[in-house]
Amino acid sequence: MLFAYPVSAADTSESQKTKIAVIPERGDLDFWQLLKKGAVKAATDDGNIKLYWLSPSGLGDFKEQKLEIDWCIEHKMDAIAISPVHSLRMKKFIKKAMHKGIPVIQMVSKVHGNAETGYVHSDNFKGGKLAAEFLQKEMKDSGTIVLGMFVKGNSPVNSRIEGFKAQLEDSESKLKIGKAIYVGEEHKRGSSKIRVAMYGNDNPNKKKKINAVVGFNESSSEILLKTLEELNKLKGLKFIAFNPDPDMIQGISDGKITAGVAQDPYEIGRIAVNQAAMAARGHKIPAEAITDVYLITKDNVSDPKIHEVLGLKERNQ
């Protein structure tokens, strides 16, 4: 089911308002709710935007995003801000909207190649490097790591992996990547993959020694954490979660999770809607806008800036 509705904080009935649709990858995670707040902030500050939040049901997929783009075309949106769920499959649908004269801003993730849109995203390569640098220090540059991803075709995760590997290679690190796994959308299937990564072919006699696990987005981190807790294997592991939610942040405070790497989804949403409005009104926009990333540890988890980025403190900009 497609849910498309004006966001109340920015909604008016005036027909001259610039109509902007925001299409997230998912609607249920804290990351996307923070992005939504940033989008609403931009629309409210502008005062001449009618904002539509097109939230997918469940986990969302490219078929749903195709329907959402069709909805935007049918309802004559003035611009679209979208986080494409797949770097290849979504390209033709984004170009379809553009061929209909609707400017498109990609945010968080992007389609493969040049789609001639604006792109607002975090410095994901840097995020991957931060995670690798931190583990090198924490593990005294010795040990084996499992890399956990959610599904294939996600451009931010790919950039984080590239940054992670580049840091290890450039520094001639002795850390080893034992396994890279896609945990997928089903917890049971993902758990099975994690068990194999931890134990080999589910044979305790061939158990592998894993020293650290990295979840490269919020979805994969959730499944990895749940499975490792069920296996009673979280204790003693170094665990890094990308885009940590409030429960994961509490885990960092408690020492259960070693660290997190956070984007600033609020700022991404705010910039994306600002640029969508500019494009709809015929103004030139930058090809790319990059927001910062933050390493979160027990030492800085109480920092006011970190709380602001994580949505634990109200934004004032």
Side-chain angles (χ1 to χ4, degrees), residues 129 170 211 259 313:
K129 290 195 69 170
D170 293 346
N211 307 103
K313 178 183 177 183

Side-chain angles (χ1 to χ4, degrees), residues 73-264:
I73 294 170
E74 179 186 351
H75 290 81
K76 295 181 170 51
M77 293 292 109
D78 295 307
I80 297 170
I82 183 172
S83 182
V85 296
H86 198 281
S87 59
L88 294 175
R89 291 176 172 177
M90 286 306 301
K91 187 171 184 177
K92 66 179 180 181
F93 305 128
I94 286 174
K95 286 198 167 185
K96 179 181 178 182
M98 296 174 68
H99 289 157
K100 294 291 185 179
I102 303 175
V104 177
I105 305 296
Q106 296 184 89
M107 57 182 185
V108 182
S109 59
K110 67 173 183 175
V111 296
H112 183 71
N114 182 15
E116 299 179 348
T117 72
Y119 180 34
V120 183
H121 65 102
S122 298
D123 192 341
N124 290 295
F125 189 87
K126 177 184 174 182
K129 290 195 69 170
L130 286 175
E133 286 175 337
F134 179 76
L135 283 179
Q136 285 179 279
K137 294 175 183 177
E138 282 287 303
M139 299 168 67
K140 296 182 170 50
D141 204 31
S142 176
T144 303
I145 309 166
V146 167
L147 310 184
M149 298 151 283
F150 192 55
V151 294
K152 294 181 180 180
N154 185 278
S155 60
V157 169
N158 293 341
S159 294
R160 292 166 199 155
I161 296 286
E162 289 171 5
F164 191 93
K165 290 181 176 179
Q167 170 60 28
L168 298 184
E169 183 178 343
D170 293 346
S171 62
E172 298 182 348
S173 174
K174 294 181 176 61
L175 290 179
K176 296 180 181 179
I177 298 173
K179 193 83 172 177
I181 57 175
Y182 289 96
V183 297
E185 300 175 1
E186 297 180 21
H187 174 66
K188 185 176 180 180
R189 184 176 299 176
S191 297
S192 176
K193 292 181 180 179
I194 296 165
R195 289 172 189 270
V196 170
M198 298 293 292
Y199 294 108
N201 292 320
D202 291 324
N203 185 345
N205 295 324
K206 295 183 179 180
K207 181 171 65 174
K208 299 177 182 178
K209 180 62 176 175
I210 303 299
N211 307 103
V213 176
V214 183
F216 276 90
N217 60 4
E218 184 176 349
S219 302
S220 59
S221 294
E222 282 184 338
I223 293 176
L224 287 161
L225 282 168
K226 184 175 181 179
T227 301
L228 291 170
E229 286 177 334
E230 290 171 352
L231 293 171
N232 198 28
K233 289 294 178 182
L234 188 57
K235 188 175 181 180
L237 275 181
K238 305 296 182 184
F239 191 101
I240 296 184
F242 275 75
N243 298 339
D245 64 19
D247 288 340
M248 295 177 199
I249 293 300
Q250 187 61 50
I252 293 172
S253 298
D254 297 339
K256 184 173 73 172
I257 300 174
T258 315
V261 179
Q263 302 180 75
D264 191 343

Side-chain angles (χ1 to χ4, degrees), residues 256-274:
K256 184 173 73 172
I257 300 174
T258 315
V261 179
Q263 302 180 75
D264 191 343
Y266 180 99
E267 188 68 359
I268 292 172
R270 189 183 70 81
I271 294 172
V273 168
N274 278 338

